[in-house]
Amino acid sequence: MKYRYRTVIATALVAALTGSLAATAAAAPARPGGLSRVDFNGDGYADFAAGTPAGWVHGKWRAGAVTAFYGSARGVTAAGTATLDQDSANVPGSAENGDLFGAATAPGDFDGDGYTDLAVGAPLEDVGSDVNGGSVTILWGSATGLRGGSTVPDPAPAAHDRFGAALAAGDFDGDGRTDLAAGTNGSTLYVFRKGISRGGRAGALATRVLPLRSAPEAGIINLTAGDVDGDRRADLMVDGYSPTLWTDGKYHNVNYFVPGTSTGPSRTVAKKMPGGVAGAIGDIDGDGYGDIVTGIWWARSKPGGAIGGQVQVTYGAAGGPSSRTQTISEESGNVPGDSENWDKFGSSVALGDVNGDGRLDLAIGARQESLTLWGQVHYGVGTVTVLAGSRGGVDTTTAPQYFYPGNHGVPGTPLWAQFGSAALLTDLDNSGGADLVVGALGQDNGDGTVTVLPSVTGTDGSGRIGTDGATEIKARHLKMDTTGIPRLGSVLDGSLEASVINSNTW
């Protein structure tokens, strides 16, 4: 990343979760391509969570909250949600100014009871006298959804701040139990292994120091989990900044691929990868290996081109990330639009099987794309492009699907909506095809919205994203305090947007 260091908290959630969910009558089976269903209430329908770290709670600014959206035969509705914050019953702590509860989230069945739980980071929470020490809370799944929670103790509070700045869940050691990886503003990765009890205690702890910049506002800023090498253990992409200044006087973004081993993420292997925020891992080409999708929204679309952003796909192999890569921008094939400065193409990415062919398809958000509509320029509208997975990788030649507010049944208004600030592909109604969930943090005067576009069966018999029955859920529908502009839609399961604290992003 070739710009000066910025205050960043990354919020990647594990849509590419590979940890095994305990089997119960209500638990959903593993889905094609290595994705696992998130099911907080065990009813067999996929659920998802939206973090609203900028939300006000009982007059406390940016205290933060998370909302569980429960899937059903009708998809999701505002009535089928539950919002939890640190003032909710049986949730540890209390809502305080600037905690940013919900800035990072990760779903997984941590206690092995068959219900998906949700790990939630509050990276700027004061813990006793430790200012901005940060906290991680597990909200427990149950037959009635997310209820109550437990605190995961920080294993080294004196060594860092911002515990819970990044989270990812997966079975990193292959023992069949879901583990939790956590980042801070230091360079040490903490992995809570062998399950987490209702008391918040893990069966084992693994640590790994990585060559990343440690600073009050640096450290591990993003984590993404998925099985890249096909060994049935989750691997990690760990994102941060180079520890030294480059010759241009800047700190550069860097990723490390850390494979899973029998003792958790490897303590010896860390393959340096190109910069960018890895937002999803899953099998796009159907070869049995997870592919790494990285959004680089600050990149040039081509040498000398606009800073419109791009997405890089690194294809997996038995040895981990291979040399086979694919770069996608608005200049690629039939991808709609033109690369223009600060479109932020790649500001969110998501994987899911929309068309039902067993290969994962790719949704890409460009949250600041401006469009000329009805003879007038609308700035910061934001778009989402959906591209099909194929045996050859992401298909940019077949006509993709393209969505923005106000277009052919997509709810919302276009002006500075920032549609695509977060994205998720998951089958909410068990129709057999992944539905598209989109966050638009600028929509509704900055309060933010979550829009669900359901999958439908096309004329050729395959699935595609449709707009009939589309649902737009606003912050006020969830009875959120909109005094401080909560920006609902800034964090979704599977979202990757690296958000800037104390800026207009939240």
Side-chain angles (χ1 to χ4, degrees), residues 133-354:
S135 70
V136 173
T137 300
I138 305 292
L139 301 178
W140 300 109
S142 73
T144 55
L146 295 180
R147 296 179 62 85
S150 303
T151 299
V152 178
D154 186 339
H160 53 246
D161 285 328
R162 304 192 183 210
F163 179 53
L167 298 171
D171 184 4
F172 302 113
D173 54 15
D175 67 353
R177 289 172 285 195
T178 304
D179 311 316
L180 177 66
T184 70
N185 66 356
S187 59
T188 299
L189 173 70
Y190 297 93
V191 180
F192 301 88
R193 297 174 51 223
K194 298 186 179 299
I196 299 174
S197 73
R198 287 295 179 111
R201 297 286 177 177
L205 175 70
T207 60
R208 173 69 196 273
V209 179
L210 291 159
L212 297 172
R213 174 171 168 77
S214 296
E217 297 169 348
I220 295 172
I221 61 173
N222 193 65
L223 293 167
T224 305
D227 186 6
V228 176
D229 54 15
D231 66 354
R232 297 185 179 275
R233 297 187 183 102
D235 310 310
L236 273 171
M237 285 285 286
V238 184
D239 180 60
Y241 286 90
S242 58
T244 56
L245 289 169
W246 283 42
T247 54
D248 58 6
K250 302 171 184 178
Y251 295 106
H252 286 231
N253 181 260
V254 65
N255 286 290
Y256 285 93
F257 170 77
V258 182
T261 72
S262 61
T263 57
S266 174
R267 297 178 183 177
T268 58
V269 178
K271 181 178 181 179
K272 190 175 181 180
M273 303 286 289
V277 183
I281 297 174
D283 189 359
I284 296 170
D285 55 4
D287 65 354
Y289 299 103
D291 308 311
I292 303 166
V293 182
T294 303
I296 318 171
W297 48 261
W298 58 87
R300 294 188 181 278
S301 55
K302 57 185 177 181
I307 308 173
Q310 62 179 232
V311 169
Q312 184 175 58
V313 181
T314 302
Y315 288 92
S322 71
S323 59
R324 178 186 166 214
T325 62
Q326 182 179 8
T327 300
I328 304 166
S329 74
E330 290 177 285
E331 307 297 328
S332 301
N334 289 320
V335 175
D338 297 307
S339 289
E340 299 160 320
N341 284 334
W342 305 116
D343 283 348
K344 294 194 174 182
F345 183 83
S347 53
S348 63
V349 297
L351 290 172
D353 188 3
V354 174

Side-chain angles (χ1 to χ4, degrees), residues 2-84:
K2 297 185 177 180
Y3 59 83
R4 297 189 184 278
Y5 176 73
R6 296 166 52 184
T7 308
V8 182
I9 288 290
T11 54
L13 186 48
V14 195
L17 177 67
T18 57
S20 301
L21 298 181
T24 67
R31 296 164 60 202
L35 300 190
S36 297
R37 175 180 288 151
V38 172
D39 190 357
F40 299 127
N41 57 8
D43 65 355
Y45 290 96
D47 309 320
F48 68 92
T52 312
W56 285 41
V57 178
H58 299 148
K60 304 295 184 180
W61 53 269
R62 294 187 176 185
V66 294
T67 301
F69 291 76
Y70 299 112
S72 71
R74 296 188 301 144
V76 297
T77 64
T81 64
T83 298
L84 297 173

